[in-house]
């Protein structure tokens, strides 16, 4: 006869991460008639604006958007640095897998490299290499057995266990535009031309207040510009922002984490009230914030069962649970020399970007890309780039850990001029999330079995010791007794009082 088991249902989401896929995009640009011919390209920079993402019918990932590119060059028969601004569109596909239960796709974009070369004095070719990191949010409906129906519970003994796990309760997204007027230093000339703009977005806080998700962050802006007299200026400022998202359906004790994706970027001189004001920059950035809401979930299940009244056969299944979630930050100060091949007189701008970390032998290997714009001893503008790997030690415990990490350069970049070039000193932070996936056998069904009659009566009392590693549950199950009954007849309060030398009196069920 089949046992009637009680079940508990759990609804949540889990994240599936897939292999990153590369994307190369390029564009030819004609120099505008208002600009002089290009004599020399000094540098190229860009930002990834990922505006489209899709899981196609054949199970592949599709990502689309633009690279906001700036090419710095020296024009013929003119003094000073100039810039070309344009967008390089991209659309690329990565291999994945379709899943009807997947409800949300996220793709993070990273600019691996960008370079430009002269095709002729009026035309350039710019090539950008991206790395895209896809992930899917999949709905999970978990049903586990937690008890036995009252009418089927006679003589049934249950070994119940509970485990704590941290799971995603849901995801919310919102697109918004951030705009700020930035006054330049009054001691310098106004901006005649914006040469390049880059931003770094950092989340600072994310909270669920009532039915609202409140997120806060900082946008670090860096604007290179040419002043009216030809001198180069660099404006850098950290700008706070905040947003409110709908948080219906979540409990207030839930935690939340916010990520940000760049959608568009623009910076120009002037303000809304004074469009011709060369001493004011207007920065406009469109962002998408993606907030993942996490909850603590207690999963109770039946690890084993038997009956004191007769034989029972159990069906079991494997239950996978992520436990021991830990969040930490590893920090390493990095020092790297960028050789220029010529003596450097001054450093104009530096940029550090970090790729996706890899865990190798207890250390995080972080790809780092460094760029430096400088003036040499002959008053010639130059740019030097260097790609290398920063190693950050970690203290991870053994076992099967699922480790995810993202790296950032968040701190001051110090540039020291040396005879060989420019030495950069900067911090690299590695945000590490670890979980340990454990597997448990749990009861998924059972039935009572008919037993043949016993020819030899079994003794009603048994004396025995507990074997090494043996549990009181296993002993009670073997003789169809109960743990409570064994403790009671042996005048014990709990199982911890049982020593290996102690003889236990086992009362058998009649």
């Amino acid at each position: 006869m089949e046992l009637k088991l009680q079940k508990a249902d759990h609804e949540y989401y889990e994240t599936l991460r897939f292999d990153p896929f590369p994307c190369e995009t390029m564009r030819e640009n004609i120099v505008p008639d208002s600009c002089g011919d290009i004599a020399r390209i000094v540098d190229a920079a860009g930002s990834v604006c990922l505006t489209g993402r899709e899981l196609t019918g054949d199970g592949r990932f599709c990502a689309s958007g633009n690279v906001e590119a700036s090419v710095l060059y020296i024009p013929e028969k003119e003094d000073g640095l100039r810039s070309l601004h344009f967008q390089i569109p991209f659309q690329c596909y990565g291999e994945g897998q379709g899943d009807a239960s997947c409800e949300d796709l996220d793709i993070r974009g990273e600019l691996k490299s960008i370079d430009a070369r002269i095709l002729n004095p009026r035309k350039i070719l710019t090539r950008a290499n991206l790395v895209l990191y896809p992930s899917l949010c999949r709905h999970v409906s978990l049903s586990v057995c937690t008890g036995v129906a009252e009418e089927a519970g006679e003589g049934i003994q249950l070994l119940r266990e509970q485990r704590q796990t941290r799971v995603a309760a849901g995801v919310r997204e919102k697109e918004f535009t951030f705009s700020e007027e930035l006054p330049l230093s009054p001691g310098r000339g106004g901006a005649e031309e914006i040469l390049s703009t880059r931003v770094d977005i950092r989340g600072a806080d994310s909270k669920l207040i009532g039915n609202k998700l409140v997120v806060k962050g900082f946008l670090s802006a860096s604007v290179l510009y040419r002043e009216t007299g030809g001198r180069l200026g660099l404006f850098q400022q950290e700008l706070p922002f905040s947003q409110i998202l709908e948080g219906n359906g979540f409990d207030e004790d839930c935690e939340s984490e916010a990520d940000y994706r760049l959608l568009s970027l623009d910076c120009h001189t002037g303000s809304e009230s004074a469009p011709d004001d060369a001493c004011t920059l207007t920065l406009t950035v469109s962002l998408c914030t993606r907030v993942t809401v996490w909850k603590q979930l207690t999963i109770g299940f039946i690890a084993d069962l038997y009956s004191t009244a007769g034989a029972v056969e159990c069906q079991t299944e494997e239950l996978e649970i992520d436990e021991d979630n830990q969040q930490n930050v590893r920090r390493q100060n990095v020092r790297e020399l960028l050789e220029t091949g010529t003596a450097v007189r001054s450093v104009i701008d530096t940029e550090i970007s970090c790729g996706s970390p890899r865990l190798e032998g207890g250390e995080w290997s972080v790809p780092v890309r460094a760029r430096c714009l400088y003036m040499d001893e002959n008053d010639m503008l130059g740019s030097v780039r260097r790609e290398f790997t920063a190693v950050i030690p970690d203290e991870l415990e053994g076992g099967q850990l699922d480790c995810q990490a993202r790296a950032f350069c968040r701190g001051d970049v110090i540039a020291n001029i040396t005879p060989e070039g420019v030495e950069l000193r900067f911090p690299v932070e590695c945000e590490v999330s670890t979980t340990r996936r454990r597997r448990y056998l749990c009861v998924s069904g059972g039935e009572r079995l008919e037993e043949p009659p016993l020819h030899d009566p079994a003794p009603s009392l048994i004396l025995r010791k507990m074997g090494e590693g043996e549990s009181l549950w296993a002993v009670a199950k073997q003789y169809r007794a109960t743990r409570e009954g064994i403790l009671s007849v042996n005048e014990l309060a709990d199982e911890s009082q049982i020593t290996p030398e102690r003889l236990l009196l086992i009362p058998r069920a009649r």
Side-chain angles (χ1 to χ4, degrees):
M1 181 180 67
E2 183 179 357
L3 288 177
K4 294 183 179 180
L5 300 178
Q6 299 169 334
K7 294 189 175 183
D9 297 325
H10 303 283
E11 305 286 335
Y12 57 93
Y13 295 86
E14 66 177 357
T15 299
L16 304 178
R17 293 179 175 85
F18 297 87
D19 292 336
F21 59 96
C23 177
E24 182 181 80
T25 183
M26 62 184 69
R27 177 175 173 174
E28 290 185 2
N29 283 85
I30 303 295
V31 178
D33 294 337
S34 58
C35 300
D37 291 350
I38 296 178
R40 178 171 63 93
I41 291 178
V42 177
D43 199 7
S47 301
V48 178
C49 297
L50 200 152
T51 55
R53 54 210 161 121
E54 180 184 1
L55 184 63
T56 63
D58 58 358
R60 293 193 298 168
F61 303 110
C62 175
S64 59
N66 298 289
V67 176
E68 296 283 349
S70 299
V71 176
L72 306 181
Y73 70 96
I74 302 295
E76 292 183 354
K77 302 177 182 179
E78 294 183 31
D79 294 329
L81 191 64
R82 300 292 187 271
S83 179
L84 295 176
H85 302 285
F86 50 88
Q87 293 181 336
I88 310 176
F90 66 86
Q91 184 176 36
C92 52
Y93 296 85
E95 296 300 323
Q97 63 183 38
D99 192 329
S101 62
C102 294
E103 300 182 1
D104 188 77
L105 169 65
D106 185 40
I107 299 181
R108 179 171 57 88
E110 172 188 312
L111 183 63
K112 188 175 181 181
S113 65
I114 183 169
D115 63 86
R117 63 186 180 93
I118 300 174
L119 299 179
N120 62 55
R122 304 297 299 174
K123 182 186 289 187
I124 64 170
L125 173 66
T126 307
R127 179 184 288 106
N129 288 287
L130 290 72
V131 181
L132 301 164
Y133 300 87
S135 62
L136 284 171
C137 198
R138 181 174 67 182
H139 179 257
V140 176
S141 182
L142 178 65
S143 182
V144 291
C145 295
T146 57
V148 179
E150 185 176 347
E151 62 271 19
E154 182 181 356
I156 296 295
Q157 304 297 309
L158 301 177
L159 180 61
R160 290 188 174 96
E161 294 189 9
Q162 283 188 344
R163 295 292 183 269
Q164 292 281 339
T165 184
R166 183 176 183 260
V167 298
V171 175
R172 298 287 187 270
E173 283 194 358
K174 180 182 178 181
E175 295 182 5
F176 64 97
T177 299
F178 174 87
S179 186
E180 190 79 11
E181 295 181 359
L182 310 171
L184 297 178
S185 173
R188 300 179 65 95
E192 183 177 355
E193 181 184 2
I194 304 297
L195 299 174
S196 67
T197 305
R198 65 178 184 271
V199 294
D200 177 59
I201 306 127
R202 174 170 57 93
D205 194 17
S206 178
K207 288 183 179 179
L208 184 64
I209 303 176
N211 62 350
K212 301 294 182 182
L213 283 165
V214 181
V215 298
K216 298 179 181 179
F218 292 94
L219 188 146
S220 297
S222 181
V223 182
L224 180 67
Y225 62 94
R226 189 184 74 254
E227 296 180 0
T228 306
R231 189 171 57 168
L232 297 181
L234 182 66
F235 178 89
Q236 293 180 310
Q237 187 168 327
E238 192 170 73
L239 307 169
F241 65 85
S242 62
Q243 282 293 305
I244 298 177
L245 292 78
E246 290 299 325
N248 291 322
F250 301 127
D251 296 331
E252 282 203 19
D253 57 351
C254 289
E255 301 174 350
S256 60
E257 297 173 354
D259 287 318
Y260 298 90
R261 188 174 74 251
L262 184 64
L263 300 178
S264 68
L265 171 64
D266 176 71
C267 185
H268 61 268
T269 58
S271 63
E272 184 177 359
S273 59
D276 298 326
D277 182 8
C279 292
T280 301
L281 306 179
T282 298
L283 176 69
T284 303
V285 179
S286 292
L287 302 173
C288 177
T289 179
R290 176 184 173 90
V291 182
T292 304
V293 180
W294 299 92
K295 66 179 180 180
Q296 294 293 330
L297 181 63
T298 301
I299 300 179
F301 59 93
I302 303 173
D304 196 8
L305 66 79
Y306 67 92
S307 174
T308 60
V312 173
E313 183 180 78
C314 291
Q315 292 87 48
T316 60
E317 62 184 9
E318 195 173 71
L319 177 64
E320 290 189 352
I321 299 177
D322 289 336
E323 298 180 291
D324 305 328
N325 178 266
Q326 300 289 330
Q327 312 280 334
N328 57 71
V329 176
R330 304 298 183 189
R331 184 182 175 95
Q332 182 78 13
N333 291 321
V334 178
R335 181 168 62 182
E336 194 69 20
L337 176 65
L338 278 59
E339 297 181 352
T340 58
T342 183
V344 176
R345 183 167 60 84
S346 62
V347 173
I348 297 170
D349 187 20
T350 58
E351 180 184 6
I352 304 293
S353 62
C354 299
S356 184
R358 302 182 307 275
L359 184 61
E360 299 174 345
E363 296 177 331
W364 291 102
S365 297
V366 181
V368 178
R369 296 177 284 276
R371 180 180 69 91
C372 179
L373 184 67
Y374 63 90
M375 190 78 73
D376 69 12
E377 59 183 350
N378 298 315
D379 288 337
M380 293 280 290
L381 279 168
S383 176
V384 61
R385 296 173 180 267
R386 177 86 189 276
E387 293 188 20
F388 57 94
T389 299
V391 177
I392 303 179
D394 205 342
E395 300 175 358
L396 297 174
E397 298 178 0
Q400 294 184 346
L401 281 177
D402 178 25
C403 301
Q404 302 294 330
R406 294 179 66 177
F408 308 90
C409 173
R410 286 177 176 157
D412 294 333
V413 180
I414 300 174
N416 295 318
I417 298 173
T418 70
E420 296 82 14
V422 179
E423 182 189 68
L424 299 182
R425 298 186 183 187
F426 54 91
V428 172
E429 290 186 356
C430 198
E431 297 179 353
V432 182
S433 173
T434 61
T435 56
R436 191 180 303 277
R437 173 151 289 196
R438 290 190 172 95
R439 294 176 173 86
Y440 300 96
L441 280 180
C442 62
V443 174
S444 59
E447 60 178 326
R448 296 182 184 272
L449 302 178
E450 293 186 6
E451 294 182 287
L454 294 174
H455 299 289
D456 298 322
S460 59
L461 292 177
I462 295 172
L463 287 172
R464 61 160 288 182
K465 297 178 181 179
M466 285 181 59
E468 184 177 354
E470 191 175 31
S471 66
L472 186 59
W473 169 269
V475 173
K477 180 179 179 180
Q478 179 182 353
Y479 298 106
R480 292 185 185 171
T482 65
R483 288 179 295 184
E484 295 77 11
I486 295 174
L487 293 172
S488 177
V489 299
N490 288 277
E491 298 182 346
L492 297 171
D494 55 59
E495 186 174 347
S496 64
Q497 294 180 325
I498 302 174
T499 60
E501 299 80 18
R502 174 148 188 171
L503 275 173
L504 294 176
L505 183 63
I506 312 295
R508 291 196 56 166
R510 297 181 180 273

